[in-house]
Amino acid sequence: MASIGQVTRLGNGFKGFLKTLSFRANITIVPNPDKTAANQPDYRVLNEGAEIGSGWTRRSKSTGNEYVSLSLAVPAFGPKTLYANLGRMAGQDDDEVLAVIWNAKK
C-alpha cells in the first residue's frame, strides 16, 4: 500500500499533508457540522479553506477497528477521484500520527 501523506489527530479532526510525485498540499480534515443523514460524510477535507474531499468513518470487517475512508477530487489528480484510508504509519508508535494510504482498487 502506498502512503501519499500523513496526518496527526487534533481533537475531533486531523491536520497534515498529501504528497505525490507532482505536488504537496497541506490538508485539514474536520468534522462535518451539517451531517443530517447516515450517507452524508462524517468529515470534510480542506486545503487552504477549499473543500477537496470527504471522509467517512468505517469499521474494519476483519478487526472491528474504526478507520476513516477518504474520497479526494482535485485538478492535480486529473478527472479521477482518489480514494484513501487513514491508517497506522509503518514504524510509527504514536497512535495520533496516521498515514494517508492510497486505495488503488476502488
Side-chain angles (χ1 to χ4, degrees):
M1 293 185 222
S3 173
I4 59 165
Q6 176 182 321
V7 296
T8 301
R9 190 181 309 273
L10 293 175
N12 293 333
F14 306 88
K15 187 171 186 170
F17 62 88
L18 295 176
K19 184 177 178 182
T20 70
L21 293 174
S22 60
F23 79 95
R24 178 186 163 105
N26 292 322
I27 61 168
T28 306
I29 303 171
V30 297
N32 177 8
D34 300 322
K35 181 173 177 151
T36 58
N39 65 339
Q40 292 178 326
D42 298 300
Y43 296 95
R44 298 290 185 198
V45 183
L46 307 172
N47 169 250
E48 298 181 14
E51 187 171 334
I52 63 167
S54 301
W56 288 264
T57 301
R58 301 284 190 231
R59 186 167 300 279
S60 169
K61 292 178 185 176
S62 60
T63 67
N65 295 335
E66 281 192 351
Y67 66 95
V68 177
S69 175
L70 301 175
S71 171
L72 306 166
V74 294
F77 299 151
K80 296 188 178 189
T81 300
L82 185 141
Y83 299 97
N85 297 324
L86 299 184
R88 182 177 286 268
M89 180 170 272
Q92 180 60 257
D93 293 334
D94 187 346
D95 288 338
E96 304 300 303
V97 178
L98 302 169
V100 180
I101 303 167
W102 177 43
N103 183 350
K105 294 184 180 183
K106 273 205 168 182

XYZ file of all heavy atoms in Angstrom:
806
model
N 0.838 -1.182 0.000
C 0.000 0.000 0.000
C 0.879 1.240 0.000
O 1.826 1.327 0.754
C -0.894 0.005 1.229
C -1.925 -1.079 1.242
S -2.987 -0.846 2.668
C -3.112 -2.525 3.197
N 0.544 2.203 -0.819
C 1.333 3.418 -0.950
C 0.801 4.512 -0.034
O -0.381 4.837 -0.066
C 1.311 3.890 -2.387
N 1.685 5.093 0.749
C 1.337 6.228 1.585
C 1.508 7.493 0.754
O 2.562 7.720 0.162
C 2.241 6.279 2.817
O 1.997 7.462 3.539
N 0.461 8.310 0.700
C 0.527 9.556 -0.075
C 0.407 10.764 0.839
O 0.106 11.863 0.378
C -0.550 9.594 -1.179
C -1.944 9.466 -0.575
C -0.286 8.533 -2.227
C -3.051 9.840 -1.527
N 0.619 10.564 2.132
C 0.552 11.681 3.055
C 0.565 11.226 4.485
O 0.694 10.028 4.782
N 0.426 12.197 5.360
C 0.445 11.935 6.791
C -0.425 12.965 7.484
O -0.446 14.132 7.093
C 1.879 12.041 7.299
C 2.036 11.881 8.775
C 3.494 12.040 9.196
O 4.387 11.578 8.509
N 3.719 12.691 10.319
N -1.141 12.544 8.518
C -1.940 13.460 9.322
C -1.727 13.146 10.791
O -1.353 12.031 11.155
C -3.451 13.393 8.990
C -3.734 13.845 7.568
C -4.020 12.006 9.230
N -1.972 14.150 11.620
C -1.924 13.996 13.067
C -3.304 14.323 13.605
O -3.929 15.306 13.181
C -0.876 14.955 13.677
O 0.390 14.659 13.098
C -0.790 14.781 15.182
N -3.771 13.501 14.519
C -5.096 13.720 15.115
C -5.046 14.990 15.965
O -4.150 15.166 16.785
C -5.487 12.531 15.983
C -6.917 12.539 16.459
C -7.230 11.335 17.335
N -6.855 10.078 16.734
C -7.609 9.350 15.915
N -8.794 9.795 15.567
N -7.192 8.205 15.448
N -6.009 15.873 15.741
C -6.147 17.099 16.519
C -7.586 17.215 16.969
O -8.466 17.570 16.177
C -5.774 18.332 15.682
C -4.314 18.458 15.263
C -4.111 19.650 14.344
C -3.423 18.584 16.480
N -7.863 16.898 18.211
C -9.234 16.930 18.715
C -10.110 15.956 17.954
O -9.818 14.770 17.884
N -11.167 16.461 17.303
C -12.088 15.622 16.528
C -11.698 15.492 15.063
O -12.394 14.858 14.291
C -13.509 16.191 16.595
C -14.080 16.103 17.984
O -13.700 15.239 18.762
N -14.972 17.012 18.315
N -10.583 16.120 14.663
C -10.173 16.099 13.264
C -8.708 15.730 13.107
O -8.106 15.137 14.003
N -8.137 16.112 11.975
C -6.761 15.767 11.633
C -6.132 16.924 10.862
O -6.825 17.672 10.180
C -6.729 14.524 10.738
C -7.452 13.344 11.307
C -8.811 13.163 11.088
C -6.782 12.402 12.061
C -9.490 12.072 11.600
C -7.446 11.306 12.589
C -8.795 11.137 12.354
N -4.804 17.024 10.933
C -4.085 18.036 10.167
C -2.797 17.402 9.656
O -2.131 16.671 10.381
C -3.765 19.240 11.038
C -3.169 20.390 10.274
C -3.075 21.622 11.135
C -2.606 22.778 10.270
N -2.724 24.036 10.965
N -2.473 17.659 8.379
C -1.262 17.084 7.818
C -1.059 17.491 6.379
O -1.324 18.639 6.010
N -0.634 16.530 5.557
C -0.328 16.849 4.163
C -0.568 15.653 3.263
O -0.559 14.502 3.698
C 1.126 17.322 4.013
C 2.145 16.273 4.397
C 2.605 15.358 3.471
C 2.627 16.204 5.690
C 3.532 14.384 3.820
C 3.557 15.242 6.059
C 4.017 14.331 5.118
N -0.787 15.955 1.981
C -0.784 14.974 0.889
C 0.481 15.235 0.096
O 0.873 16.394 -0.090
C -1.988 15.162 -0.031
C -3.360 14.909 0.543
C -4.427 15.240 -0.496
C -3.497 13.473 0.989
N 1.105 14.182 -0.412
C 2.329 14.364 -1.190
C 2.408 13.273 -2.249
O 2.313 12.091 -1.948
C 3.546 14.284 -0.276
C 4.849 14.546 -0.979
C 5.995 14.522 0.024
C 7.305 14.737 -0.668
N 8.433 14.669 0.263
N 2.554 13.702 -3.497
C 2.754 12.772 -4.605
C 4.004 13.229 -5.360
O 4.654 14.188 -4.951
C 1.546 12.755 -5.572
O 1.507 13.993 -6.266
C 0.239 12.493 -4.844
N 4.297 12.581 -6.462
C 5.450 12.990 -7.257
C 5.290 14.380 -7.847
O 6.265 15.076 -8.096
C 5.695 11.985 -8.383
C 6.138 10.595 -7.941
C 6.194 9.669 -9.151
C 7.479 10.643 -7.236
N 4.048 14.812 -8.051
C 3.831 16.087 -8.728
C 3.418 17.248 -7.818
O 3.441 18.391 -8.251
C 2.792 15.923 -9.828
O 1.573 15.482 -9.280
N 3.030 16.994 -6.571
C 2.621 18.113 -5.714
C 2.646 17.741 -4.238
O 2.712 16.576 -3.871
C 1.227 18.615 -6.108
C 0.119 17.763 -5.590
C -0.520 18.074 -4.404
C -0.304 16.636 -6.285
C -1.545 17.283 -3.917
C -1.335 15.848 -5.812
C -1.948 16.172 -4.625
N 2.578 18.768 -3.410
C 2.421 18.622 -1.967
C 1.377 19.635 -1.532
O 1.419 20.800 -1.962
C 3.731 18.877 -1.233
C 3.568 18.774 0.285
C 4.833 19.161 1.013
N 4.562 19.441 2.398
C 4.875 18.624 3.399
N 5.480 17.491 3.169
N 4.588 18.958 4.635
N 0.434 19.226 -0.695
C -0.621 20.122 -0.235
C -0.899 19.882 1.242
O -1.012 18.732 1.674
C -1.899 19.886 -1.042
N -1.002 20.954 1.999
C -1.412 20.853 3.390
C -2.914 20.595 3.425
O -3.668 21.189 2.647
C -1.078 22.136 4.146
C 0.414 22.318 4.287
O 1.150 21.355 4.489
N 0.870 23.544 4.172
N -3.348 19.713 4.327
C -4.768 19.406 4.444
C -5.205 19.466 5.902
O -4.410 19.267 6.811
C -5.140 18.021 3.858
C -4.406 16.883 4.573
C -4.912 17.990 2.365
C -4.934 15.497 4.235
N -6.478 19.737 6.059
C -7.139 19.669 7.345
C -8.395 18.826 7.137
O -9.126 19.029 6.163
C -7.536 21.073 7.847
O -6.372 21.905 7.845
C -8.111 21.013 9.244
N -8.621 17.880 8.028
C -9.815 17.030 7.962
C -10.650 17.380 9.191
O -10.209 17.164 10.323
C -9.437 15.534 7.939
C -8.505 15.249 6.750
C -10.695 14.668 7.877
C -7.903 13.843 6.759
N -11.820 17.957 8.952
C -12.653 18.460 10.041
C -13.996 17.746 10.049
O -14.494 17.321 9.004
C -12.864 19.989 9.915
C -11.535 20.729 10.026
C -13.565 20.356 8.627
N -14.618 17.619 11.243
C -15.954 17.020 11.299
C -16.941 17.819 10.454
O -16.833 19.042 10.348
C -16.316 17.105 12.780
C -15.009 17.185 13.494
C -14.104 17.961 12.570
N -17.879 17.116 9.836
C -18.909 17.749 9.011
C -20.038 18.235 9.926
O -20.837 17.428 10.402
C -19.442 16.739 7.990
C -20.555 17.287 7.142
O -20.869 18.469 7.194
N -21.162 16.428 6.341
N -20.145 19.533 10.148
C -21.182 20.042 11.056
C -22.589 19.954 10.476
O -23.564 20.077 11.204
C -20.777 21.503 11.272
C -20.071 21.871 10.017
C -19.352 20.614 9.573
N -22.703 19.732 9.164
C -24.009 19.708 8.501
C -24.559 18.305 8.290
O -25.575 18.144 7.608
C -23.915 20.424 7.150
C -23.481 21.870 7.302
O -23.913 22.520 8.269
O -22.678 22.333 6.475
N -23.914 17.283 8.853
C -24.371 15.902 8.635
C -25.737 15.698 9.273
O -25.919 15.902 10.465
C -23.368 14.913 9.222
C -23.788 13.491 8.989
C -22.736 12.501 9.409
C -23.308 11.101 9.206
N -22.306 10.130 8.934
N -26.706 15.291 8.439
C -28.061 15.047 8.934
C -28.577 13.660 8.555
O -29.665 13.281 8.963
C -29.046 16.106 8.386
O -29.006 16.073 6.959
C -28.688 17.491 8.887
N -27.799 12.926 7.737
C -28.220 11.589 7.308
C -27.004 10.661 7.319
O -25.861 11.099 7.173
C -28.817 11.640 5.904
N -27.250 9.371 7.474
C -26.183 8.375 7.589
C -25.276 8.314 6.362
O -24.091 8.012 6.482
C -26.778 7.002 7.868
N -25.801 8.615 5.173
C -24.993 8.514 3.955
C -24.143 9.765 3.694
O -23.340 9.776 2.778
C -25.861 8.195 2.746
C -26.845 9.308 2.422
O -27.168 10.134 3.267
N -27.334 9.305 1.207
N -24.320 10.806 4.473
C -23.512 12.012 4.316
C -22.154 11.821 4.988
O -22.027 11.055 5.941
C -24.236 13.220 4.912
C -25.467 13.603 4.132
C -26.191 14.775 4.764
O -26.213 14.923 5.978
N -26.795 15.597 3.922
N -21.111 12.514 4.499
C -19.779 12.320 5.064
C -19.669 12.776 6.517
O -20.351 13.716 6.940
C -18.874 13.160 4.166
C -19.764 14.083 3.428
C -21.122 13.467 3.397
N -18.805 12.086 7.255
C -18.520 12.448 8.641
C -17.504 13.586 8.712
O -17.449 14.310 9.698
C -17.958 11.237 9.398
C -18.965 10.109 9.454
O -20.053 10.327 10.011
O -18.672 9.016 8.936
N -16.682 13.722 7.650
C -15.610 14.713 7.622
C -15.586 15.460 6.288
O -16.019 14.932 5.273
C -14.242 14.042 7.795
C -14.045 13.377 9.129
C -14.290 12.018 9.279
C -13.602 14.099 10.233
C -14.106 11.395 10.500
C -13.407 13.484 11.456
C -13.662 12.133 11.584
O -13.482 11.518 12.797
N -15.005 16.646 6.319
C -14.697 17.429 5.127
C -13.181 17.550 5.063
O -12.530 17.782 6.085
C -15.308 18.830 5.190
C -16.820 18.836 5.268
C -17.412 18.398 3.976
N -18.865 18.514 4.003
C -19.638 17.897 3.156
N -19.126 17.134 2.217
N -20.932 18.028 3.217
N -12.599 17.394 3.875
C -11.157 17.534 3.682
C -10.919 18.883 3.014
O -11.479 19.159 1.950
C -10.589 16.391 2.817
C -9.074 16.534 2.692
C -10.950 15.027 3.404
N -10.092 19.718 3.648
C -9.868 21.081 3.177
C -8.394 21.328 2.872
O -7.510 20.786 3.540
C -10.308 22.083 4.247
C -11.732 21.932 4.788
C -11.953 22.866 5.972
C -12.740 22.198 3.699
N -8.155 22.153 1.855
C -6.834 22.667 1.530
C -6.965 24.177 1.424
O -7.673 24.672 0.546
C -6.310 22.074 0.222
C -5.062 22.791 -0.276
O -5.126 23.490 -1.276
N -3.960 22.633 0.412
N -6.336 24.900 2.342
C -6.399 26.358 2.365
C -7.840 26.862 2.286
O -8.147 27.808 1.568
C -5.543 26.943 1.251
C -4.074 26.600 1.396
C -3.214 27.187 0.302
O -3.687 28.085 -0.430
O -2.067 26.754 0.181
N -8.742 26.199 2.993
C -10.139 26.606 3.057
C -11.028 26.066 1.960
O -12.243 26.157 2.046
N -10.440 25.497 0.902
C -11.237 24.927 -0.194
C -11.484 23.443 0.078
O -10.563 22.712 0.450
C -10.504 25.088 -1.521
N -12.712 23.011 -0.112
C -13.035 21.602 0.097
C -12.517 20.772 -1.073
O -12.834 21.039 -2.225
C -14.544 21.411 0.234
C -14.906 19.991 0.625
C -16.366 19.826 0.965
O -17.015 20.806 1.374
O -16.861 18.705 0.826
N -11.707 19.763 -0.764
C -11.148 18.887 -1.801
C -11.582 17.439 -1.627
O -11.179 16.581 -2.407
C -9.608 18.970 -1.855
C -8.994 18.477 -0.549
C -9.161 20.375 -2.196
C -7.499 18.239 -0.631
N -12.395 17.167 -0.618
C -12.838 15.792 -0.430
C -13.695 15.621 0.801
O -14.023 16.585 1.500
N -14.027 14.358 1.036
C -14.883 13.984 2.157
C -14.349 12.724 2.805
O -13.571 11.983 2.197
C -16.312 13.722 1.662
O -16.836 14.867 1.033
N -14.794 12.471 4.034
C -14.369 11.271 4.750
C -15.515 10.630 5.503
O -16.428 11.328 5.975
N -15.470 9.310 5.572
C -16.491 8.544 6.267
C -15.827 7.635 7.295
O -14.820 6.985 6.995
C -17.274 7.667 5.288
C -18.192 8.423 4.400
C -19.517 8.635 4.586
C -17.844 9.091 3.177
N -20.022 9.392 3.548
C -19.012 9.689 2.671
C -16.656 9.243 2.461
C -19.032 10.417 1.495
C -16.663 9.982 1.293
C -17.848 10.557 0.822
N -16.409 7.559 8.483
C -15.929 6.617 9.489
C -16.449 5.239 9.104
O -17.644 5.055 8.856
C -16.437 7.005 10.888
O -15.971 8.326 11.178
C -15.940 6.042 11.942
N -15.549 4.284 9.027
C -15.889 2.902 8.658
C -15.373 1.956 9.741
O -14.531 2.323 10.551
C -15.239 2.523 7.319
C -15.628 3.404 6.163
C -17.017 3.056 5.692
N -17.293 3.728 4.434
C -18.369 4.443 4.220
N -19.251 4.607 5.161
N -18.577 5.007 3.053
N -15.846 0.716 9.721
C -15.382 -0.305 10.653
C -14.813 -1.467 9.850
O -15.469 -1.980 8.948
C -16.521 -0.780 11.551
C -16.064 -1.732 12.643
C -17.118 -1.957 13.701
N -17.531 -0.740 14.390
C -16.868 -0.172 15.397
N -15.741 -0.678 15.806
N -17.338 0.913 15.974
N -13.604 -1.875 10.191
C -12.939 -2.982 9.509
C -13.685 -4.280 9.764
O -14.023 -4.602 10.904
C -11.500 -3.115 10.013
O -10.923 -4.305 9.563
N -13.949 -5.025 8.692
C -14.624 -6.319 8.828
C -13.730 -7.341 9.518
O -14.209 -8.207 10.233
C -15.048 -6.839 7.461
C -16.144 -6.024 6.826
C -16.506 -6.550 5.453
C -17.527 -5.645 4.794
N -17.845 -6.056 3.433
N -12.428 -7.246 9.302
C -11.516 -8.252 9.868
C -11.142 -7.977 11.326
O -11.026 -8.915 12.107
C -10.239 -8.357 9.021
O -9.577 -7.116 8.994
N -10.972 -6.695 11.709
C -10.533 -6.390 13.077
C -11.608 -5.745 13.936
O -11.512 -5.745 15.156
C -9.316 -5.450 13.067
O -9.721 -4.174 12.547
C -8.167 -6.023 12.254
N -12.595 -5.134 13.294
C -13.617 -4.406 14.034
C -13.194 -3.000 14.416
O -13.955 -2.264 15.030
N -11.971 -2.606 14.059
C -11.479 -1.275 14.384
C -12.069 -0.225 13.444
O -12.301 -0.498 12.278
C -9.954 -1.215 14.270
C -9.273 -2.092 15.294
O -9.826 -2.382 16.351
N -8.065 -2.512 14.986
N -12.272 0.984 13.968
C -12.746 2.085 13.132
C -11.583 2.727 12.398
O -10.457 2.752 12.898
C -13.432 3.150 13.990
C -14.841 2.792 14.375
C -15.599 3.972 14.973
O -14.995 5.024 15.251
O -16.813 3.822 15.163
N -11.865 3.246 11.201
C -10.898 4.000 10.419
C -11.666 5.030 9.603
O -12.894 5.004 9.547
C -10.060 3.078 9.519
C -10.842 2.382 8.427
C -10.902 2.924 7.147
C -11.536 1.198 8.672
C -11.627 2.296 6.143
C -12.255 0.571 7.677
C -12.287 1.124 6.424
O -13.019 0.501 5.426
N -10.933 5.942 8.975
C -11.564 6.964 8.130
C -11.221 6.671 6.683
O -10.053 6.495 6.329
C -11.109 8.379 8.531
C -11.713 9.422 7.597
C -11.492 8.684 9.977
N -12.250 6.595 5.846
C -12.111 6.397 4.403
C -12.303 7.745 3.721
O -13.285 8.441 3.990
C -13.171 5.402 3.931
O -13.146 5.270 2.537
N -11.354 8.117 2.853
C -11.396 9.422 2.195
C -11.688 9.302 0.708
O -11.275 8.343 0.060
C -10.050 10.136 2.350
C -9.558 10.403 3.758
C -8.161 11.014 3.710
C -10.515 11.311 4.508
N -12.360 10.293 0.182
C -12.592 10.457 -1.250
C -12.111 11.859 -1.590
O -12.616 12.842 -1.040
C -14.081 10.304 -1.542
O -14.374 10.643 -2.862
N -11.096 11.952 -2.483
C -10.471 13.229 -2.803
C -10.580 13.516 -4.291
O -10.353 12.621 -5.110
C -8.994 13.209 -2.403
C -8.711 12.824 -0.952
C -7.241 12.507 -0.769
C -9.155 13.927 -0.017
N -10.912 14.742 -4.636
C -11.024 15.127 -6.052
C -10.462 16.525 -6.214
O -11.025 17.492 -5.703
C -12.475 15.076 -6.504
N -9.331 16.613 -6.901
C -8.693 17.906 -7.174
C -8.128 17.871 -8.587
O -7.803 16.798 -9.107
C -7.580 18.236 -6.162
C -8.143 18.452 -4.780
C -6.522 17.178 -6.138
N -8.002 19.017 -9.233
C -7.476 19.033 -10.610
C -6.115 18.351 -10.761
O -5.836 17.767 -11.801
C -7.390 20.526 -10.925
C -8.446 21.146 -10.080
C -8.435 20.347 -8.803
N -5.275 18.388 -9.726
C -3.950 17.755 -9.819
C -4.049 16.246 -10.030
O -3.119 15.617 -10.533
C -3.137 18.046 -8.566
N -5.172 15.644 -9.655
C -5.377 14.203 -9.852
C -5.958 13.894 -11.220
O -6.201 12.737 -11.537
C -6.310 13.631 -8.793
C -5.822 13.756 -7.382
C -6.728 13.860 -6.349
C -4.475 13.777 -7.066
C -6.303 13.967 -5.035
C -4.038 13.883 -5.764
C -4.964 13.990 -4.746
N -6.259 14.902 -12.002
C -6.903 14.675 -13.285
C -8.389 14.452 -13.085
O -8.954 14.844 -12.076
N -9.050 13.782 -14.040
C -10.502 13.626 -13.973
C -10.970 12.549 -12.992
O -12.149 12.343 -12.829
C -10.866 13.239 -15.401
C -9.651 12.542 -15.908
C -8.490 13.253 -15.274
N -10.060 11.865 -12.334
C -10.437 10.762 -11.452
C -10.476 11.181 -9.995
O -9.779 12.101 -9.578
C -9.458 9.610 -11.613
C -9.494 9.016 -12.996
C -8.663 7.777 -13.060
C -8.792 7.191 -14.467
N -8.217 5.906 -14.579
N -11.286 10.475 -9.221
C -11.330 10.644 -7.778
C -10.301 9.707 -7.164
O -10.165 8.566 -7.589
C -12.738 10.310 -7.244
O -13.672 11.205 -7.856
C -12.817 10.448 -5.747
N -9.587 10.194 -6.172
C -8.599 9.385 -5.469
C -9.221 8.908 -4.165
O -9.844 9.701 -3.449
C -7.356 10.229 -5.189
C -6.193 9.498 -4.559
C -4.906 9.999 -5.166
C -6.182 9.679 -3.073
N -9.067 7.626 -3.866
C -9.596 7.054 -2.634
C -8.439 6.670 -1.727
O -7.418 6.165 -2.196
C -10.461 5.830 -2.938
C -11.657 6.167 -3.792
C -11.634 5.976 -5.163
C -12.796 6.716 -3.216
C -12.717 6.307 -5.953
C -13.890 7.055 -4.005
C -13.844 6.840 -5.364
O -14.918 7.177 -6.136
N -8.611 6.917 -0.427
C -7.558 6.610 0.532
C -8.185 6.310 1.889
O -9.348 6.640 2.135
C -6.593 7.785 0.646
N -7.401 5.687 2.751
C -7.808 5.415 4.125
C -6.758 5.984 5.060
O -5.581 6.050 4.718
C -7.927 3.907 4.382
C -8.992 3.258 3.536
O -10.025 3.856 3.277
N -8.750 2.049 3.100
N -7.185 6.372 6.252
C -6.228 6.751 7.283
C -5.890 5.501 8.072
O -6.780 4.778 8.528
C -6.817 7.813 8.214
C -7.218 9.135 7.569
C -7.692 10.111 8.636
C -6.073 9.732 6.772
N -4.606 5.222 8.212
C -4.177 4.020 8.924
C -2.823 4.216 9.573
O -2.132 5.210 9.332
N -2.438 3.255 10.374
C -1.168 3.330 11.090
C -0.010 3.434 10.111
O 0.081 2.678 9.156
C -0.979 2.111 11.970
C 0.320 2.174 12.772
C 0.448 0.993 13.696
N -0.446 1.120 14.826
C -0.092 1.680 15.995
N 1.107 2.171 16.138
N -0.940 1.733 16.979
N 0.858 4.376 10.386
C 2.036 4.577 9.559
C 3.098 3.549 9.932
O 3.315 3.271 11.107
C 2.571 5.994 9.756
C 3.787 6.306 8.942
S 4.153 8.055 9.019
C 3.156 8.612 7.650
N 3.729 2.955 8.942
C 4.762 1.954 9.175
C 5.861 2.528 10.068
O 6.340 3.637 9.838
C 5.362 1.498 7.849
N 6.218 1.785 11.099
C 7.278 2.196 12.006
C 6.882 3.278 12.992
O 7.709 3.751 13.757
N 5.625 3.654 13.022
C 5.160 4.727 13.901
C 4.507 4.134 15.140
O 3.605 3.311 15.028
C 4.170 5.612 13.152
C 3.599 6.767 13.927
C 4.626 7.731 14.426
O 4.978 7.722 15.599
N 5.129 8.566 13.540
N 4.955 4.556 16.313
C 4.379 4.076 17.575
C 3.285 4.987 18.115
O 2.545 4.606 18.998
C 5.477 3.938 18.632
C 6.469 2.844 18.306
O 6.085 1.891 17.596
O 7.624 2.937 18.753
N 3.201 6.193 17.585
C 2.236 7.178 18.058
C 0.897 6.949 17.366
O 0.782 7.109 16.148
C 2.770 8.579 17.759
C 1.926 9.687 18.365
O 0.788 9.418 18.792
O 2.413 10.830 18.400
N -0.133 6.595 18.130
C -1.465 6.333 17.569
C -2.130 7.590 17.006
O -3.138 7.502 16.318
C -2.385 5.721 18.625
C -2.013 4.290 18.957
O -1.363 3.624 18.142
O -2.380 3.838 20.063
N -1.580 8.757 17.305
C -2.148 10.014 16.827
C -1.623 10.396 15.445
O -2.140 11.312 14.821
C -1.856 11.138 17.819
C -2.359 10.853 19.238
C -3.862 10.634 19.297
O -4.596 11.535 18.861
O -4.302 9.583 19.784
N -0.577 9.727 14.964
C 0.007 10.014 13.654
C -0.414 8.909 12.690
O -0.161 7.729 12.937
C 1.549 10.094 13.722
C 2.136 10.347 12.343
C 1.979 11.185 14.694
N -1.083 9.280 11.601
C -1.629 8.302 10.655
C -1.150 8.578 9.236
O -0.943 9.732 8.861
C -3.161 8.352 10.689
C -3.802 8.080 12.041
C -5.281 8.415 11.999
C -3.592 6.643 12.452
N -1.004 7.525 8.472
C -0.674 7.641 7.066
C -1.962 7.799 6.257
O -3.008 7.257 6.621
C 0.080 6.399 6.594
N -1.861 8.532 5.161
C -2.939 8.586 4.175
C -2.553 7.526 3.148
O -1.596 7.682 2.400
C -3.052 9.975 3.517
C -4.186 9.983 2.495
C -3.250 11.059 4.579
N -3.284 6.418 3.162
C -2.917 5.244 2.351
C -3.803 5.187 1.117
O -5.020 5.023 1.219
C -3.052 3.953 3.180
C -2.178 4.058 4.440
C -2.675 2.738 2.345
C -2.469 2.983 5.464
N -3.164 5.322 -0.034
C -3.859 5.285 -1.314
C -4.524 3.936 -1.504
O -3.922 2.881 -1.313
C -2.868 5.561 -2.439
C -3.426 5.493 -3.814
C -4.608 5.992 -4.257
C -2.794 4.916 -4.953
N -4.760 5.758 -5.599
C -3.645 5.089 -6.053
C -1.580 4.265 -5.143
C -3.343 4.636 -7.325
C -1.277 3.819 -6.403
C -2.142 4.009 -7.485
N -5.787 3.946 -1.922
C -6.544 2.731 -2.193
C -6.737 2.636 -3.706
O -7.673 3.206 -4.259
C -7.894 2.780 -1.469
C -8.695 1.509 -1.650
O -8.372 0.655 -2.447
N -9.764 1.395 -0.877
N -5.844 1.920 -4.372
C -5.852 1.837 -5.837
C -6.953 0.938 -6.380
O -7.218 0.948 -7.573
C -4.502 1.352 -6.326
N -7.607 0.146 -5.544
C -8.571 -0.848 -6.024
C -9.960 -0.274 -6.264
O -10.772 -0.924 -6.853
C -8.649 -1.995 -5.025
C -7.355 -2.761 -4.965
C -7.472 -3.941 -4.052
C -6.149 -4.687 -4.012
N -6.211 -5.871 -3.209
N -10.264 0.904 -5.803
C -11.619 1.446 -5.987
C -11.835 1.915 -7.380
O -10.995 2.306 -8.098
C -11.878 2.573 -5.012
C -12.391 2.048 -3.716
C -13.178 3.112 -3.039
C -13.927 2.483 -1.890
N -14.746 3.376 -1.185
